[in-house]
Amino acid sequence: MKIKQVYKGGKPVLSLEIFPPKENYPLETVFETVDELKKLSPSYISVTYGAGGSTRERTVEIASRIKNEYGIESLAHLTCVRHTRAEVDKILDELAHEGVYNILALRGDLPDDDPEFDIHKQEYRYAYELIQDARSKDDFGIAAAAHPEGHPECKRLNEDLINLKHKVDNGVDFLITQLFFDNRIYYDFIDKALRININCPIIPGIMPVLNARQIKRIIYLCGASIPSKLLNLVDKYEHNPADMEKAGIDYASQQVLDLIESRVPGVHLYTMNKPAQITRIVTNVNLAGHK
Ligand code: FAD
């Protein structure tokens, strides 16, 4: 099934993102997470990909088992930077061989620890090129990333939006957003996207803040702005992990409730492989089982 179909049902769709365990951890640990997440009846589970191919086998295997053993639709992330066209072709073949026909087509972050890296020498420079290649191959359902606060490399949000429009026009079924902590940022972004005729579903990506350290990492990785309400919570509970986690779950639950009330097509939760905390959010907002 192509995932885009689930967004035609009228009810808010629950989707979840997990990541493969690091190489030195047994692969099976991720299936303990999936066992728990399955109870929430998500419409699909997405599996991240290490830029440059570091999780290649694991991403393919996990996406395959979610689909074939758990009977849950899976969305395999695939990043193209630092891959050749021949490598991408092979990975798409591997996914198709496993019956995984939905991908989240990404460029991937540029390496900041490789002075030799030159984007101009890459076979892929942007995600839209991967989308073009995937479209010309097997019959894949294709999702892509959207950045409501603008992608950090792009100086102007308007320019980033035009690049996004170009990406979507190359064959994207739906978009999943980078995380954000203020829903107004998402609503403004939707308005701007609609104004330039980006008409596919744009699914909000929500990540609960479960500890104070995470905030610093989020700012470093994607530059998301942190509203003072959330910063105050982090200040208040910085040295009290249990209360910080509870406050983070409540904050994310409020965000999701507001989004559902505003009739978003679905909510994509970045689970960070933490099923207990994600279960509490999904239960708080009564989103389980809305397949
Ligand atoms: P692109 O759409 O290619 O955009 C990258 C930059 O290039 C932007 O600044 C854009 O404005 C600019 N640009 C795009 N097209 C053009 C053009 N035609 N001309 C000029 N400029 C252009 N990373 C991982 O490594 N693994 C993952 O599994 C992963 N999953 C993610 C899931 C989601 C939902 C999101 C939002 C991000 C994820 N990322 C992941 C991070 C992502 O790879 C990075 O944000 C990356 O830096 C950009 O990827 P992109 O696909 O948005 O790139």
Side-chain angles (χ1 to χ4, degrees):
M1 184 195 63
K2 296 294 172 323
I3 287 174
K4 68 177 177 186
Q5 300 301 337
V6 304
Y7 292 111
K8 293 183 175 157
K11 284 185 181 160
V13 167
L14 172 67
S15 58
L16 304 171
E17 176 179 305
I18 60 170
F19 56 80
K22 291 209 175 87
E23 264 171 43
N24 45 342
Y25 279 87
L27 182 69
E28 288 309 312
T29 54
V30 78
F31 295 107
E32 291 162 19
T33 300
V34 178
D35 285 340
E36 292 306 308
L37 296 178
K38 184 182 178 181
K39 296 176 188 162
L40 304 176
S41 301
S43 289
Y44 64 94
I45 295 180
S46 81
V47 187
T48 66
Y49 189 85
S54 59
T55 66
R56 174 178 170 169
E57 283 85 16
R58 288 195 157 191
T59 298
V60 173
E61 180 171 353
I62 296 165
S64 166
R65 286 178 60 181
I66 288 172
K67 181 165 171 81
N68 298 309
E69 290 177 21
Y70 286 83
I72 301 171
E73 203 53 61
S74 61
L75 176 68
H77 297 208
L78 176 55
T79 63
C80 58
V81 75
R82 289 192 284 163
H83 270 318
T84 62
R85 289 205 137 80
E87 284 166 351
V88 163
D89 196 53
K90 197 155 178 286
I91 299 164
L92 291 172
D93 282 346
E94 286 165 13
L95 288 168
H97 182 258
E98 298 297 325
V100 176
Y101 279 104
N102 290 286
I103 60 165
L104 177 57
L106 300 146
R107 186 197 66 182
D109 284 326
L110 308 181
D112 54 9
D113 56 352
D114 178 2
E116 302 294 302
F117 179 82
D118 179 357
I119 186 75
H120 302 289
K121 292 190 182 148
Q122 296 293 309
E123 290 193 23
Y124 288 103
R125 290 167 57 189
Y126 301 113
Y128 82 84
E129 298 162 315
L130 167 61
I131 291 158
Q132 286 175 338
D133 284 355
R135 269 281 164 250
S136 67
K137 247 181 106 63
D138 284 294
D139 190 16
F140 283 100
I142 301 178
H147 305 269
E149 298 189 62
H151 184 262
E153 280 165 41
C154 199
K155 303 263 178 311
R156 294 204 198 103
L157 180 58
N158 277 354
E159 216 176 287
D160 201 37
L161 270 164
I162 289 163
N163 293 334
L164 180 64
K165 164 83 175 139
H166 178 247
K167 179 160 78 171
V168 170
D169 288 348
N170 273 283
V172 170
D173 298 329
F174 64 98
L175 295 163
I176 302 177
T177 76
Q178 187 55 277
L179 56 91
F180 55 88
F181 297 107
D182 181 343
N183 289 356
R184 283 174 304 183
I185 292 171
Y186 169 80
Y187 300 134
D188 284 353
F189 179 70
I190 296 290
D191 284 347
K192 289 186 180 126
L194 277 175
R195 249 181 262 147
I196 60 164
N197 288 322
I198 297 177
N199 295 315
C200 66
I202 304 180
I203 313 306
I206 298 295
M207 179 184 276
V209 173
L210 300 175
N211 60 64
R213 252 181 314 117
Q214 200 189 330
I215 281 277
K216 289 192 188 121
R217 196 167 152 70
I218 287 168
I219 297 171
Y220 170 72
L221 283 178
C222 70
S225 54
I226 316 287
S228 52
K229 188 177 165 195
L230 183 56
L231 268 182
N232 289 341
L233 289 176
V234 176
D235 279 347
K236 188 169 172 190
Y237 298 122
E238 196 178 356
H239 303 295
N240 187 340
D243 284 353
M244 181 64 241
E245 182 176 294
K246 186 177 175 309
I249 287 171
D250 288 348
Y251 189 94
S253 302
Q254 287 305 320
Q255 258 195 295
V256 174
L257 268 181
D258 179 73
L259 289 163
I260 293 172
E261 277 166 18
S262 301
R263 298 187 177 278
V264 292
V267 175
H268 188 71
L269 293 178
Y270 294 102
T271 74
M272 300 170 288
N273 293 7
K274 292 189 182 297
Q277 293 82 342
I278 293 301
T279 299
R280 280 164 61 193
I281 295 170
V282 172
T283 309
N284 283 347
V285 302
N286 194 24
L287 199 52
H290 283 205
K291 270 196 155 186

